[in-house]
Amino acid sequence: MAKMNKKFMMAKEVIERAGGIARISEFEKEGITRPEVSHMCHIGLLSRIRVGCYQLADAEDISDEQKILSLFPEAILCVESAMYYHGYLPSAPQKWSIAVPWDYSRRKLNVSVVAIKPYTVKLETMDLGKTKGIFNGFELPVYDKERTVCDCLKNWIHLDKDVFDRAIDCYARDPEKNLDKLVEYAKTLRVYYNLVEVSKRIVLD
């Protein structure tokens, strides 16, 4: 029992250092084995929130932003979430839109602690337009305005018409828009034809 108490205190330090959610690999680095982590879950000291990710069982609410950072370190906020960040949506979407690599494990996306809307992206274009933004005090990766518009053009069939229209209209009125970059991105992402279709609203020339 004393050994388990010591292991739990070590696990607690790992979790606190990780911001509230820790991966099994972080425990193992500190000498805490998988069976020990499983046992701590069994006796109600830890809570598994996804395969390989844990928090304290009595943990206070962890912000969505911290959950995104901890559970999806490879993800980039995109489409609706990026629109909100850039001021193109008046309120935050009910789900976090995240871009993940096309071969990302579906099991990792199976979480209930934070509402997400995943978009799969080819590896070679994953970092195109990637930047960083502050969300509720947390720095998260997010796509820039031009990549966001291109993603809306690419995924228009999955978007609410009002959301799609806002993306185009808000960008068209944005004094900071970069049309050269938009065209470059559109060609790289193979949505240039889609862009031409809405070009009168954006005024490309």
Side-chain angles (χ1 to χ4, degrees):
M1 187 67 179
K3 181 181 178 181
M4 181 52 62
N5 286 337
K6 181 179 179 180
K7 288 287 185 174
F8 172 64
M9 294 307 297
M10 293 170 60
K12 184 176 180 181
E13 289 181 7
V14 171
I15 291 174
E16 291 175 346
R17 192 162 59 241
I21 299 173
R23 301 182 187 84
I24 193 69
S25 60
E26 295 173 293
F27 291 125
E28 291 178 326
K29 286 180 182 178
E30 299 299 323
I32 306 169
T33 67
R34 290 172 183 260
E36 287 170 337
V37 172
S38 295
H39 182 63
M40 282 185 263
C41 289
H42 180 70
I43 62 178
L45 297 176
L46 300 182
S47 175
R48 190 179 80 165
I49 59 175
R50 193 195 71 187
V51 175
C53 291
Y54 302 83
Q55 67 180 23
L56 297 173
D58 60 352
E60 297 180 359
D61 288 342
I62 300 173
S63 70
D64 279 359
E65 291 80 5
Q66 181 60 52
K67 293 172 184 175
I68 294 291
L69 279 171
S70 299
L71 295 173
F72 312 105
E74 307 92 341
I76 302 172
L77 298 184
C78 65
V79 193
E80 295 98 332
S81 292
M83 285 178 61
Y84 175 67
Y85 171 72
H86 293 302
Y88 293 179
L89 286 180
S91 57
Q94 293 184 341
K95 294 183 178 181
W96 291 83
S97 300
I98 60 172
V100 295
W102 70 272
D103 59 350
Y104 200 75
S105 170
R106 294 297 178 271
R107 186 175 65 172
K108 290 183 179 180
L109 295 172
N110 185 23
V111 297
S112 59
V113 295
V114 60
I116 60 170
K117 181 179 180 180
Y119 290 85
T120 55
V121 178
K122 292 181 179 179
L123 293 175
E124 59 266 31
T125 59
M126 186 73 188
D127 289 337
L128 183 68
K130 177 182 177 182
T131 183
K132 293 182 179 180
I134 302 301
F135 294 77
N136 193 28
F138 290 90
E139 186 178 76
L140 296 174
V142 59
Y143 283 132
D144 63 16
K145 297 174 182 178
E146 286 69 30
R147 174 62 189 262
T148 299
V149 170
C150 286
D151 282 344
C152 288
L153 292 171
K154 191 177 187 68
N155 297 283
W156 67 271
I157 196 170
H158 302 296
L159 296 178
D160 182 272
K161 185 178 183 301
D162 290 340
V163 171
F164 179 81
D165 287 343
R166 284 191 68 91
I168 303 304
D169 293 341
C170 288
Y171 184 80
R173 296 193 301 269
D174 194 332
E176 297 180 350
K177 62 179 178 289
N178 186 325
L179 297 178
D180 289 338
K181 184 190 292 186
L182 179 65
V183 170
E184 176 188 344
Y185 284 7
K187 291 179 179 178
T188 300
L189 296 168
R190 298 182 179 179
V191 292
Y192 183 70
Y193 174 78
N194 305 55
L195 179 60
V196 170
E197 289 293 299
V198 299
S199 62
K200 292 181 180 179
R201 294 163 66 179
I202 296 179
V203 188
L204 291 178
D205 52 14

